[in-house]
């Protein structure tokens, strides 16, 4: 590696590297596996801090529902170990490597927590930060520190786990993460309602979410997006698809599915996906593959919007009436994914943030010049921006860890 790039193999070495960067006032880009390097603002850094040496599962106790791993451990490796014990990460973290034009197809468990990512079960199971029990890392001061433990009751004092999740490597370089896992459901069934408009779908999903049927997935795919699915019942629908997932013991799922089928009856009928096809379908929704049409074009803007669920349809249709593209709704309408066509002025940021009434919009993918030109993350009100700056100064006063990745100058 060049003199400006570092690949530490221990916490002590990592602390020395960061301390050297502080003394030399040379900011560093933190990289685990590199699957999310295009996520966030472009940065001007003196070198790269390669954290791939902090990899591997270090502790897994299935009976205690807890696992510890190096942050650079591939997400696929974590999921394979859990599947062998019929367990899973309940927050369903998305695989985002395919969104960027690089050779890395699978991200790391540390990247999932650093970016606080979660999939379709988010509205029920919580986000990544709700499952992180503890961590070890090195601050921007070059100091080794830890927070939390193996169980929630061990968390005393400040809950730094919540702070690290969503910090995008701007506060510390993680060296170990400890998180809770849960058993996989015995049976999965997905109810598909065809032909609903976006507004009708939002109401149907709200009704299902408010019902006693304990749903764990609620999404809406417009006709053109549904046609790109690999699941036959979805691809061949020839109409929009509103999907509602049920999980749990087989008798319970069967009973709840029958009740939901009656509740969701539409002119075009309701179809059911059983466990195998349900897993495939929700994996597609998790990774938004139908929206992308199998293509990876880094210049095409890809946005993720978090809005009040009942505003989902209005927001999605309002934006797409102004800017050509495709969209889908997840989390009962609370999360929108918008893949816009090239040529939109400033990546469609004006249309998106001008249409939204509350919530926030994040540019997940875009050309480097676009990410340097517009606020990638939702601009913060002045008091919150000042608090963000104080937190950054507390952990990384010299700004050597991923400076400017989230907010210019921070």
């Amino acid at each position: 590696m060049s003199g400006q790039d570092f690949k530490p193999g221990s916490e002590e070495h990592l602390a020395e590297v960061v301390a050297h960067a502080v003394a030399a006032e040379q900011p560093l880009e933190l990289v685990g596996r590199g699957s999310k390097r295009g996520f966030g603002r472009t940065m001007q850094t003196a070198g790269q801090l390669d954290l791939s040496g902090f990899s591997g599962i270090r502790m897994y106790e299935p009976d205690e529902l807890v696992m510890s791993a190096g942050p650079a451990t591939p997400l696929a490796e974590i999921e394979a170990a859990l599947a062998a014990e019929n367990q899973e990460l309940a927050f369903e973290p998305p695989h985002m490597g395919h969104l960027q034009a690089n050779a890395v197809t699978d991200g790391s468990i540390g990247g999932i927590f650093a970016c606080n990512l979660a999939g379709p079960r988010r509205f029920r199971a919580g986000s990544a930060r709700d499952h992180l029990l503890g961590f070890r890392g090195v601050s921007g001061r070059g100091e080794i520190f830890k927070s939390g433990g193996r169980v929630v009751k061990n968390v005393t004092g400040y809950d730094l786990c919540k702070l690290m999740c969503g910090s995008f490597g701007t506060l510390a370089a993680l060296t170990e993460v400890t998180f809770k896992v849960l058993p996989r459901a015995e049976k999965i069934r997905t109810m598909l309602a065809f032909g609903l408009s976006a507004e009708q779908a939002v109401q149907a999903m709200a009704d299902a979410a408010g019902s006693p049927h304990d749903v764990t997935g609620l999404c809406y795919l417009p006709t053109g997006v549904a046609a790109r699915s690999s699941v036959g019942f979805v691809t061949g629908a020839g109409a929009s698809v509103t999907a509602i997932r049920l999980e749990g013991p087989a008798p319970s799922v069967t009973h709840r599915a029958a009740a939901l089928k009656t509740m969701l009856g539409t002119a075009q009928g309701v179809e059911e996906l059983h466990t195998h096809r349900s897993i495939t379908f929700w994996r597609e929704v998790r990774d938004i593959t139908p929206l992308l049409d199998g293509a990876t074009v880094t210049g095409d803007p890809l946005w993720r919007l978090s809005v009040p669920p009942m505003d989902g349809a209005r927001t999605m249709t309002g934006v797409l009436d102004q800017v050509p593209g495709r969209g889908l709704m997840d989390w009962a309408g609370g999360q929108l994914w918008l893949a816009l066509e090239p040529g939109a002025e400033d990546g469609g940021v004006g249309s998106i943030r001008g249409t939204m009434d509350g919530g926030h919009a994040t540019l997940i993918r875009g050309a480097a010049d676009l990410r340097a030109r517009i606020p990638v993350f939702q601009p913060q009100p002045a008091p919150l921006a000042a608090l963000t700056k104080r937190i950054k100064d507390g952990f990384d006063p010299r700004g050597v860890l991923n400076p400017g990745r989230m907010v210019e100058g921070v």
Side-chain angles (χ1 to χ4, degrees), residues 135-158:
F135 70 88
R136 294 182 61 88
V138 174
S139 73
R141 297 173 179 271
E143 299 170 341
I144 298 172
F145 72 112
K146 65 179 181 177
S147 179
R150 292 175 52 181
V151 293
V152 175
K153 67 180 180 181
N154 282 350
V155 179
T156 58
Y158 293 109

Side-chain angles (χ1 to χ4, degrees), residues 98-101 295-302 342 365-367:
H98 65 290
L99 300 182
Q100 311 293 338
T296 299
V297 184
T298 57
D300 295 354
L302 176 66
R365 184 183 74 187

Side-chain angles (χ1 to χ4, degrees), residues 285-317:
V285 174
R286 180 197 72 186
D287 299 340
I288 63 168
T289 50
L291 187 67
L292 302 176
D293 197 21
T296 299
V297 184
T298 57
D300 295 354
L302 176 66
W303 289 87
R304 184 187 66 192
L305 283 60
S306 293
V307 300
M310 295 306 293
D311 285 350
R314 180 195 64 80
T315 304
M316 184 173 74
T317 57

Side-chain angles (χ1 to χ4, degrees), residues 320-370:
L320 296 180
D321 282 345
Q322 302 174 61
V323 185
R326 301 183 297 275
L328 65 79
M329 294 190 289
D330 199 0
W331 303 355
Q335 176 169 264
L336 312 179
W337 288 95
L338 300 176
L340 305 183
E341 295 182 6
E345 183 177 357
D346 282 342
V349 63
S351 299
I352 289 172
R353 291 184 174 144
T355 301
M356 295 173 62
D357 184 14
H360 58 267
T362 304
L363 180 65
I364 300 296
R365 184 183 74 187
D369 65 326
L370 175 64

Side-chain angles (χ1 to χ4, degrees), residues 41-312:
R41 299 182 69 257
T42 55
M43 299 178 292
Q44 298 296 321
T45 54
Q48 184 182 110
L49 183 54
D50 183 348
L51 300 175
S52 61
F54 299 95
S55 182
I57 296 172
R58 299 174 183 175
M59 181 274 294
Y60 177 30
E61 296 183 4
D63 292 342
E64 299 298 326
L65 301 176
V66 64
M67 177 182 282
S68 293
T73 308
L75 182 56
E77 182 179 333
I78 299 288
E79 292 175 335
L82 293 174
E85 297 292 338
N86 202 31
Q87 295 181 344
E88 65 183 359
L89 295 168
F91 60 98
E92 242 174 333
H95 292 239
M96 300 182 66
H98 65 290
L99 300 182
Q100 311 293 338
N102 58 45
V104 180
T105 58
D106 186 41
S108 66
I109 187 63
I112 291 296
F113 286 114
C115 300
N116 193 36
L117 299 174
R121 208 180 284 117
R122 162 69 174 84
F123 73 95
R124 168 67 186 279
S127 63
R129 64 164 49 96
D130 298 304
H131 296 255
L132 184 63
L133 298 174
F135 70 88
R136 294 182 61 88
V138 174
S139 73
R141 297 173 179 271
E143 299 170 341
I144 298 172
F145 72 112
K146 65 179 181 177
S147 179
R150 292 175 52 181
V151 293
V152 175
K153 67 180 180 181
N154 282 350
V155 179
T156 58
Y158 293 109
D159 189 358
L160 298 184
C161 291
K162 298 292 193 295
L163 197 59
M164 289 298 139
C165 289
S167 65
F168 285 75
T170 61
L171 302 180
L174 300 180
T175 59
E176 181 177 274
V177 289
T178 300
F179 46 94
K180 59 183 176 181
V181 301
L182 289 174
R184 300 176 74 173
E186 176 187 344
K187 185 175 180 64
I188 307 172
R189 189 170 293 184
T190 302
M191 313 306 294
L192 305 176
F194 302 123
L196 300 182
S197 67
E199 292 77 11
Q200 291 171 328
V202 164
Q203 187 59 58
M205 290 188 290
D207 291 343
S211 75
H213 304 313
D214 200 20
V215 300
T216 64
L218 294 159
C219 74
Y220 171 76
L221 279 61
T223 305
V225 176
R228 294 179 171 89
S229 171
S230 66
V231 178
F233 284 130
V234 178
T235 304
S240 68
V241 173
T242 304
I244 301 176
R245 179 173 59 185
L246 300 167
E247 298 177 289
S252 172
V253 169
T254 300
H255 172 75
R256 287 181 284 142
L260 269 178
K261 188 171 185 178
T262 300
M263 188 180 81
L264 292 172
T266 68
Q268 296 192 44
V270 177
E271 188 56 77
E272 298 180 15
L273 301 179
H274 288 247
T275 298
H276 179 71
R277 286 176 175 170
S278 286
I279 290 173
T280 300
F281 173 77
W282 289 102
R283 185 181 296 125
E284 290 181 345
V285 174
R286 180 197 72 186
D287 299 340
I288 63 168
T289 50
L291 187 67
L292 302 176
D293 197 21
T296 299
V297 184
T298 57
D300 295 354
L302 176 66
W303 289 87
R304 184 187 66 192
L305 283 60
S306 293
V307 300
M310 295 306 293
D311 285 350

